[in-house]
Amino acid sequence: MSKDRVYLDYNATTPLDPQVIEAVTEALEGAWGNPSSSHGAGQKAKHMIDKARKHLADMVGALTSDIIFTSGGTEANNLVLHSALKYFHQESDKADGRIGLPHFITSNLEHDSIKLVLQHFEEEKLAEVTNVPASKKTGRVEIDDVISAIRPSTCLITVMTANNETGVIQPISEISERVRCLGRQKGDFPRILLHTDAAQAIGKIPVDIKTLGVDYLTIVGHKFYGPRIGALCVRKPGKATPLYPSLFGGGQERSFRPGTENTPMIAGLGKAAELVVQDLERYEKHMREIREYLERKLKEEFGEGVTFNGRFEKSCRIPNTCNVSFLGRGLEGHRILSKCTRLQASIGAACHAQNRPSPILLAIGIPESVARNALRLSVGRETSRDDINVIVTDLKEVIQSLRSD
């Protein structure tokens, strides 16, 4: 990080940990062989990939055979949604197609790699979709609302583990338990598959696929100090859980995701996962302390002129995320950021336009005038109290200037 700037956009992306850089460099220099080759150079690369797969499995409480490497979270999410669609139609054929169109349940908080795929399914009349609205009292989807949305044709429920803008943790394990209690997980048609995109949770709170009770879990490396690739964790893929490839080629990743493996990036992802296993408790404690210090300093400095979005009495947040609005006309988030000389942050998801109110904040009941003024401040493992002091001063100067314009 530049000494002149303070980066508080870790929910958008994280830098590579030095040990991750070392692992990537080692693979680039010494494991350049094709992992499918039987000679020494190829087997060295294969060994690195196997080692990385084991670290990812340990991180999320899975078997090594449950881990499928992908280009990132978007591909992993697409793979799940298209697999659920194909699985439904295969099972529907066995039932003479009497069930109708497949039905997906999701929330109105999801990343575009879920939301836009399901919109496409609807537009092409491939599926029906229920978007369960988040509660304005808790900032999360309510379990009863999800269960009430289930139909005979429901094939997949997908809800993110934690929201990328508010940090609110969603009740995934409780949803999974209620679905299992319906008695439709085995034997009956259709089976309801369960997926969670854990991009924002991994590296910040414990994430275990068995505890969450899901069939699929999305892993995104660049959210926990790894490289910009990802993985999909699938419980016994192709056996206990349906998974169908969207690419066809040389048979890598057991043909679920063919293509010659990117050994250096996979090695880096494995190292990032290993660090999470070793040091999660320390990471979580540090980020929570810094986030609490940030919110305390903002409240001390701005008093009633600041409000925190996403802090709900009955909901928990991931430990690094603060969504804050500075109240008053002319204090739109994008205007504040454009004038900050030290703070690097965002008003919401990095892949969304940065000059409009966040749909996520509007969805949880934040008034538009407040949502327009929002900043998402997400701290990292190395963020210090001194950094917080610097950005609070920066914000104070900018807001005073904007109020006097």
Side-chain angles (χ1 to χ4, degrees):
M1 297 300 118
S2 168
K3 292 182 180 179
D4 296 327
R5 304 299 296 263
V6 175
Y7 182 81
L8 291 187
D9 204 16
Y10 290 90
N11 283 5
T13 199
T14 56
L16 293 180
D17 186 280
Q19 293 184 63
V20 171
I21 294 174
E22 184 178 342
V24 171
T25 303
E26 180 184 350
L28 283 168
E29 294 176 345
W32 43 264
N34 190 316
S36 298
S37 298
S38 59
H39 49 62
Q43 289 306 292
K44 185 172 184 179
K46 183 178 185 300
H47 173 72
M48 278 197 169
I49 292 170
D50 290 344
K51 183 180 178 182
R53 199 186 308 275
K54 175 66 165 56
H55 287 315
L56 262 73
D58 289 345
M59 181 177 70
V60 296
L63 302 172
T64 55
S65 57
D66 293 343
I67 302 297
I68 311 295
F69 292 112
T70 66
S71 62
T74 293
E75 182 187 351
N77 287 344
N78 273 259
L79 193 55
V80 169
L81 297 174
H82 285 276
S83 288
L85 191 68
K86 184 169 183 178
Y87 177 72
F88 178 93
H89 285 300
Q90 286 191 350
E91 296 300 308
S92 180
D93 288 343
K94 297 176 185 178
D96 299 324
R98 291 190 297 269
I99 300 297
L101 286 177
H103 174 238
F104 291 78
I105 297 174
T106 189
S107 80
N108 63 348
L109 303 175
E110 302 301 309
H111 188 269
D112 280 353
S113 59
I114 295 290
K115 181 173 67 175
L116 296 183
V117 178
L118 293 178
Q119 284 182 6
H120 169 73
F121 286 175
E122 282 191 297
E123 290 165 0
E124 297 296 318
K125 299 189 181 345
L126 299 173
E128 296 175 330
V129 179
T130 297
N131 290 282
V132 176
S135 167
K136 294 176 173 57
K137 296 180 179 179
T138 64
R140 65 184 188 182
V141 294
E142 295 302 314
I143 303 160
D144 287 344
D145 293 341
V146 173
I147 299 304
S148 296
I150 292 175
R151 306 175 186 174
S153 57
T154 300
C155 63
L156 179 77
I157 299 173
T158 175
V159 177
M160 58 172 46
T161 314
N163 186 259
N164 57 316
E165 295 191 30
T166 65
V168 174
I169 299 169
Q170 304 298 310
I172 306 302
S173 59
E174 294 90 342
I175 291 170
S176 300
E177 180 63 30
R178 288 283 297 276
V179 171
R180 284 196 296 272
C181 289
L182 295 177
R184 290 181 54 195
Q185 283 294 88
K186 294 183 180 179
D188 296 334
F189 174 78
R191 175 185 173 188
I192 302 175
L193 300 165
L194 297 160
H195 167 247
T196 190
D197 182 343
Q200 290 297 339
I202 291 174
K204 300 166 188 170
I205 59 173
V207 174
D208 184 287
I209 191 169
K210 295 188 294 294
T211 301
L212 293 172
V214 295
D215 301 293
Y216 310 93
L217 185 146
T218 295
I219 300 168
V220 182
H222 73 99
K223 305 295 188 181
F224 59 99
Y225 292 76
R228 288 193 179 118
I229 65 166
L232 181 63
C233 183
V234 186
R235 297 177 78 171
K236 297 182 180 179
K239 297 178 181 178
T241 305
L243 187 67
Y244 303 98
S246 57
L247 302 173
F248 298 88
Q252 293 87 354
E253 295 298 289
R254 288 158 287 156
S255 292
F256 292 122
R257 204 288 185 180
T260 303
E261 298 93 338
N262 189 344
T263 306
M265 295 301 104
I266 290 173
L269 184 64
K271 174 55 71 173
E274 182 183 12
L275 295 174
V276 169
V277 172
Q278 291 174 354
D279 291 324
L280 176 61
E281 185 176 349
R282 178 169 63 87
Y283 296 153
E284 183 177 5
K285 181 175 183 291
H286 173 75
M287 288 187 286
R288 191 178 305 281
E289 288 176 352
I290 296 298
R291 195 266 309 278
E292 290 175 354
Y293 181 75
L294 166 64
E295 294 184 347
R296 186 166 67 250
K297 293 296 289 185
L298 289 172
K299 193 65 178 175
E300 289 174 359
E301 187 62 54
F302 297 98
E304 296 304 313
V306 68
T307 186
F308 298 102
N309 310 309
R311 291 206 307 195
F312 296 92
E313 184 179 344
K314 295 184 179 180
S315 297
C316 295
R317 293 180 291 165
I318 50 176
N320 78 318
T321 305
C322 166
N323 196 298
V324 59
S325 291
F326 298 93
L327 304 179
R329 295 184 62 182
L331 300 182
E332 292 86 356
H334 69 93
R335 292 191 68 196
I336 292 174
L337 290 178
S338 71
K339 292 183 176 295
C340 283
T341 60
R342 305 295 297 276
L343 172 63
Q344 296 184 100
S346 66
I347 66 168
C351 49
H352 289 165
Q354 296 289 289
N355 58 358
R356 62 180 174 85
S358 162
I360 299 299
L361 296 185
L362 298 177
I364 63 170
I366 305 300
E368 183 174 344
S369 61
V370 177
R372 284 188 179 278
N373 291 13
L375 299 179
R376 181 185 68 180
L377 307 177
S378 47
V379 306
R381 298 172 186 174
E382 60 276 2
T383 308
S384 68
R385 284 174 171 78
D386 286 342
D387 292 329
I388 300 306
N389 293 336
V390 166
I391 69 100
V392 170
T393 299
D394 195 18
L395 287 166
K396 178 181 178 181
E397 293 172 354
V398 168
I399 290 169
Q400 285 177 343
S401 172
L402 290 172
R403 281 178 171 158
S404 63
D405 285 349

